[in-house]
């Protein structure tokens, strides 16, 4: 286990938009600093992701000081969006559950609406400490999460990706592999593990931070979306359905909840505590 280390870190400031790969990042109780604090919503206030809008993969969001974001997308002029001033909270719906967020300035709505060809707004989670609890079936009292799908931090391993790509090569759609790690949009990528070892990690330490391993990460159609072209295929879901079905989930990666905050860095040792 002493050979486990952080190979990469990823922060996605806007949900479902391409993010950045910092060398180090602070861990907050609700996730990596700046990760998925922004999201797009439709006219009804429902959060949009690459599930509905695969072209979001081609847009990029870079975090700025103070929580703002710098946006880029094909055919669009660059745009800087600052954190909105405190104001009225609006209900938004994420996976069927209502949470509250602050709507960004109209320029952001115009920019994303023009890029996607449909009316959308950009919203910001102003106070992740209170806005959205972690799934009570897996949470401890007071645990919260940003606008990530379900849990604060997603960990994957290079060994499991290699194993998955080997299975894809033997399957019905070998031409689609090997898949890169960005299909899975993780926060922390670990090198040095055995394939699927992360399934059993109940408690790990990285740098100054400690995390509780909650459950496997069930994968969706976003993983079939090429993050460079926004085109969709069949993999990895076909192969995961055949080889990595855990309960109702097509599993790849481990969901984590921070239990001690701190800073994590590329190259940090990953210590399996339990």
């Amino acid at each position: 286990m002493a050979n486990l280390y952080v190979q990469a870190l990823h922060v996605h400031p806007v949900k479902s938009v391409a993010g950045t790969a910092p060398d180090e990042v602070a861990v907050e109780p609700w996730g990596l600093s700046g990760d998925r604090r922004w999201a797009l919503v439709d006219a009804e206030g429902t959060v949009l992701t690459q599930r509905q809008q695969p072209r979001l993969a081609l847009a990029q969001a870079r975090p700025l000081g103070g929580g703002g974001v710098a946006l880029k997308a094909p055919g669009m002029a660059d745009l800087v969006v600052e954190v909105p001033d405190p104001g009225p909270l609006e209900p938004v719906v994420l996976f069927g559950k209502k949470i509250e967020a602050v709507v960004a300035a109209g320029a952001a709505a115009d920019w994303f609406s023009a890029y996607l060809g449909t009316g959308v707004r950009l919203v910001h989670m102003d106070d992740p400490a209170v806005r959205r609890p972690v799934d009570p079936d897996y949470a401890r009292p007071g645990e919260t999460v940003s606008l990530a799908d379900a849990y604060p931090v997603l960990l994957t391993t290079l060994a499991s990706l290699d194993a998955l790509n080997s299975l894809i090569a033997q399957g019905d759609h070998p031409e689609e592999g090997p898949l890169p790690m960005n299909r899975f949009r993780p926060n922390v990528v670990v090198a040095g593990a055995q394939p699927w070892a992360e399934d059993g990690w109940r408690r790990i330490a990285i740098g100054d931070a400690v995390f509780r391993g909650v459950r496997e990460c069930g994968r969706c159609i976003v993983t079939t979306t090429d993050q460079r072209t926004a085109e969709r295929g069949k993999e990895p879901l076909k192969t995961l359905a055949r080889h990595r079905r855990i309960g109702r989930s097509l599993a790849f990666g481990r969901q984590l909840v921070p239990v001690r905050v701190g800073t994590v860095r590329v190259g940090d040792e990953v210590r399996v505590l339990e």
Side-chain angles (χ1 to χ4, degrees):
M1 289 298 184
N3 294 325
L4 302 179
Y5 66 93
V6 176
Q7 187 267 341
L9 297 166
H10 297 281
V11 173
H12 307 91
V14 181
K15 187 174 181 66
S16 266
V17 169
T20 60
D23 291 331
E24 66 176 63
V25 63
V27 178
E28 298 172 337
W30 41 83
L32 301 190
S33 178
D35 189 62
R36 296 171 170 96
R37 292 285 296 277
W38 301 82
L40 292 168
V41 299
D42 64 15
E44 287 72 43
T46 300
V47 171
L48 295 174
T49 71
Q50 289 184 35
R51 295 167 178 84
Q52 302 85 19
Q53 293 285 351
R55 289 190 73 238
L56 286 174
L58 307 183
Q60 297 178 322
R62 178 172 56 86
L64 301 174
V69 287
L71 302 173
K72 293 178 177 288
M76 302 295 296
D78 295 355
L79 180 68
V80 169
V81 182
E82 302 293 348
V83 171
D85 293 331
L89 294 169
E90 293 200 16
V92 301
V93 179
L94 179 56
F95 299 126
K97 295 186 177 181
K98 288 185 178 180
I99 56 178
E100 292 182 313
V102 181
V103 178
D110 294 342
W111 192 90
F112 272 112
S113 296
Y115 174 61
L116 295 175
T118 187
V120 297
R121 294 177 297 161
L122 184 66
V123 300
H124 180 256
M125 179 180 275
D126 62 325
D127 190 355
V130 299
R131 293 285 172 242
R132 184 182 175 217
V134 171
D135 183 344
D137 289 341
Y138 295 91
R140 293 175 178 172
E143 290 180 339
T144 61
V145 59
S146 66
L147 295 168
D149 276 5
Y151 300 92
V153 176
L154 172 60
L155 177 149
T156 59
T157 70
L158 294 178
S160 294
L161 180 62
D162 289 344
L164 177 60
N165 279 324
S166 293
L167 293 171
I168 290 172
Q170 301 164 30
D172 297 332
H173 305 281
E175 72 284 356
E176 292 192 23
L179 301 182
M181 189 64 85
N182 65 8
R183 289 289 187 95
F184 303 94
R185 298 178 62 81
N187 295 119
V188 180
V189 181
V190 173
Q194 293 298 310
W196 318 119
E198 65 275 16
D199 290 349
W201 294 351
R202 297 176 59 189
R203 190 176 178 89
I204 65 171
I206 306 173
D208 305 321
V210 176
F211 303 86
R212 182 169 62 88
V214 179
R215 60 171 301 178
E216 75 283 350
C217 182
R219 311 315 305 218
C220 70
I221 195 172
V222 171
T223 60
T224 70
T225 308
D226 189 321
Q227 300 295 294
R228 300 169 303 169
T229 66
E231 296 177 356
R232 284 191 170 141
K234 301 293 185 181
E235 296 292 0
L237 293 186
K238 289 290 187 181
T239 296
L240 291 175
R242 186 172 298 170
H243 297 282
R244 288 284 299 166
R245 190 181 292 274
I246 299 177
R248 299 175 61 185
S249 297
L250 306 185
F252 187 88
R254 186 75 169 163
Q255 303 277 22
L256 307 178
V257 176
V259 295
R260 188 176 75 200
V261 298
T263 299
V264 295
R265 299 172 177 84
V266 172
D268 274 352
E269 180 184 2
V270 178
R271 305 184 304 281
V272 179
L273 306 177
E274 186 178 344

